[in-house]
Amino acid sequence: MPKSKSYKLVAEPADLPPEADQAHRFEKARTAQATALLEDYAELISDLIGTEGEARPTDIARRLGVSHATAIKSIARLKREGLATSKLYRGVFLTPAGEMLARRARARHRLVVDLLVAVGVPQEAAEVDAEGIEHHVSDETLRAFATYLGRA
Amino acid sequence: MPKSKSYKLVAEPADLPPEADQAHRFEKARTAQATALLEDYAELISDLIGTEGEARPTDIARRLGVSHATAIKSIARLKREGLATSKLYRGVFLTPAGEMLARRARARHRLVVDLLVAVGVPQEAAEVDAEGIEHHVSDETLRAFATYLGRA
DNA sequence: TTCGATTTGTAGCCTCGGCTACAATTAGGC
DNA sequence: GCCTAATTGTAGCCGAGGCTACAAATCGAA
Ligand SMILES: [Mn+2]
Ligand SMILES: [Mn+2]
Ligand SMILES: [Mn+2]
Ligand SMILES: [Mn+2]
């Protein structure tokens, strides 16, 4: 992950050229996309461990609909970023950081599906669309969803 | 149960293994992501032509927050896919297919922002998040949004 | 225990979308 | 009209995330 200047706490000057705003939005979307894969893997690994007792690369690959080679390479990225570990022929595990990411991803995923259904989106469409939408929902937006659903 | 008469590409037998559903959702999200860049460019080019009279690569790059080399390369992809044309030093234009894509992208973008605001998301957060969310909103979900907003 | 099937890992290829550096073209001020 | 600045385009690099093909390790049934 490219260092991502995390100046989220810094107030953003209101006197920037107008197109800078737009550029900043696109940049946020690109950043979100860069973490989407990590979030999906973390959530899935956590699910598999919970339901199957273990998360094997082959199962991960089948659930994601990618080749096992692709899954293994992505798992390598998770390890590189300190989110997962794995022992040869013994499955993949999440580090504390990975667990935390998985928990938040799962909670957000559920909230997004519930919000969509609450505003009238059919269940199956909500499930499908949420898989992509979830990665672009900020904490602020998530709080608004929770409030709307009466779970503030 | 998993119905939704799909396109000719993927035949969906009703008795698929349960994890195939999940794989299919992930695949949809990946497909949506593959077209996200095209949609953003088409929408932006259309906007620039509308407000500035022309869409020059440099302006496109600045609005997107990427280098002009990146923008030019992406514009090449739009041309390759029949969505845009350009004359040397004379800006970028949209083909009819590109215009159509831009129109739909803009309408969807607006509906997504409006939906977010309607459920209580602050305006600025809605604008930011919509830039990513929009690409994962299916037609079915979009219709539900329109209905919710009373624009059925 | 042995041996074939499954699982896991590696190697190499591809496209995409970032970037910088540099080259060429055009536009504009003087 | 000339020269500089801006714009546009090209070349080459990179990492991410797809893929297939092949190799190695493990598992499990006979
Ligand atoms: Mn997802
Ligand atoms: Mn998810
Ligand atoms: Mn967008
Ligand atoms: Mn948009």
Side-chain angles (χ1 to χ4, degrees):
Chain A
M1 194 126 348
K3 215 59 209 287
S4 109
K5 13 209 262 172
S6 52
Y7 52 102
K8 30 197 138 140
L9 294 182
V10 175
E12 301 185 18
D15 57 345
L16 284 178
E19 70 267 28
D21 263 18
Q22 193 173 6
H24 199 245
R25 287 175 203 164
F26 281 118
E27 191 191 338
K28 281 261 183 68
R30 287 193 296 266
T31 299
Q33 196 51 45
T35 65
L37 180 137
L38 298 175
E39 294 171 348
D40 283 337
Y41 270 77
E43 188 184 350
L44 176 55
I45 290 167
S46 175
D47 281 354
L48 284 171
I49 290 177
T51 64
E52 313 290 328
E54 58 179 355
R56 293 145 78 234
T58 294
D59 294 330
I60 295 171
R62 187 174 52 251
R63 293 284 200 107
L64 289 170
V66 299
S67 74
H68 82 274
T70 293
I72 285 174
K73 209 191 282 190
S74 296
I75 291 165
R77 183 180 161 208
L78 265 81
K79 295 198 236 176
R80 223 167 46 232
E81 308 209 6
L83 296 169
T85 60
S86 74
K87 295 197 290 186
L88 269 189
Y89 290 85
R90 222 137 290 246
V92 182
F93 308 89
L94 294 175
T95 64
E99 297 271 15
M100 192 178 319
L101 182 62
R103 263 206 321 279
R104 284 189 295 133
R106 183 183 298 110
R108 200 183 43 187
H109 188 125
R110 287 198 196 126
L111 254 183
V112 170
V113 170
D114 290 350
L115 186 282
L116 290 175
V117 170
V119 300
V121 176
Q123 185 71 30
E124 181 55 22
E127 305 271 10
V128 172
D129 292 6
E131 198 53 75
I133 290 175
E134 55 176 354
H135 308 287
H136 298 275
V137 172
S138 63
D139 286 348
E140 193 175 1
T141 293
L142 201 63
R143 280 194 298 273
F145 284 5
T147 299
Y148 180 87
L149 292 169
R151 306 179 194 167
Chain B
M1 192 40 181
K3 27 50 75 255
S4 151
K5 76 167 286 185
S6 52
Y7 302 113
K8 59 278 156 99
L9 289 181
V10 189
E12 283 179 54
D15 56 347
L16 283 178
E19 71 265 26
D21 262 17
Q22 194 173 6
H24 200 245
R25 287 175 202 164
F26 282 117
E27 191 191 339
K28 280 261 183 68
R30 286 193 295 267
T31 299
Q33 195 52 44
T35 65
L37 181 135
L38 299 176
E39 295 171 347
D40 283 338
Y41 270 77
E43 188 184 350
L44 175 54
I45 290 167
S46 175
D47 281 354
L48 283 172
I49 290 177
T51 65
E52 314 290 328
E54 57 179 356
R56 293 146 76 233
T58 295
D59 294 331
I60 295 172
R62 189 175 51 251
R63 294 285 200 103
L64 289 170
V66 299
S67 74
H68 83 274
T70 294
I72 286 174
K73 211 191 281 190
S74 295
I75 291 165
R77 185 180 160 207
L78 265 81
K79 295 197 237 177
R80 224 166 45 232
E81 309 209 5
L83 297 169
T85 59
S86 75
K87 295 196 291 186
L88 268 187
Y89 291 83
R90 225 139 285 247
V92 182
F93 308 89
L94 294 175
T95 64
E99 296 272 13
M100 192 179 318
L101 181 61
R103 262 204 322 278
R104 285 190 292 133
R106 182 183 299 111
R108 199 183 44 187
H109 188 126
R110 288 199 195 126
L111 254 184
V112 170
V113 171
D114 290 350
L115 186 282
L116 290 175
V117 169
V119 300
V121 177
Q123 185 72 30
E124 181 55 22
E127 306 271 10
V128 172
D129 291 6
E131 198 52 73
I133 290 175
E134 55 176 353
H135 309 286
H136 299 275
V137 172
S138 63
D139 287 349
E140 192 175 2
T141 292
L142 201 63
R143 280 195 297 273
F145 284 6
T147 299
Y148 179 87
L149 291 169
R151 306 177 196 169

